[in-house]
Amino acid sequence: MSKEQERRASKRISTGIIVISQDESTKTNNDYCDTCKGLGRFLCCDSCPRAFHFSCVEPPIDIGDLEKMENWYCNVCRCEK
């Protein structure tokens, strides 16, 4: 995985509180899964504070697929756009 792919993948993964957004500034996402309310490692929406376990998001996402994504939006934000 290249440095750029690692950077893109890591900006979407959160272990709780702060993630790096597309413009490299910090934003706060929820520190719990918006589906099951559990703690852990999350996929964070690039548009809102929602965060999800990789297995709780619909459809589930494999962590290896993150390097192919530019941005990721939760289903609520996708519907609003």
Side-chain angles (χ1 to χ4, degrees):
M1 186 183 299
S2 72
K3 291 281 185 192
E4 178 62 19
Q5 289 171 326
E6 286 178 18
R7 185 191 66 76
R8 274 192 258 146
S10 68
K11 74 179 170 130
R12 282 185 205 76
I13 301 171
S14 171
T15 54
I17 301 171
I18 302 293
V19 296
I20 304 299
S21 65
Q22 187 70 9
D23 65 0
E24 301 300 320
S25 62
T26 57
K27 69 176 187 175
T28 303
N29 282 86
N30 296 339
D31 57 354
Y32 57 87
C33 175
D34 278 271
T35 300
C36 73
K37 307 300 183 217
L39 303 176
R41 196 168 186 193
F42 302 121
L43 178 63
C44 298
C45 182
D46 285 325
S47 183
C48 73
R50 292 180 189 92
F52 303 88
H53 292 115
F54 291 88
S55 59
C56 288
V57 75
E58 188 58 45
I61 294 177
D62 183 65
I63 195 167
D65 293 336
L66 290 178
E67 65 188 49
K68 301 172 195 165
M69 297 179 187
E70 286 294 318
N71 294 309
W72 183 82
Y73 302 102
C74 68
N75 290 338
V76 173
C77 290
R78 222 172 309 157
C79 288
E80 289 175 354
K81 291 188 187 264

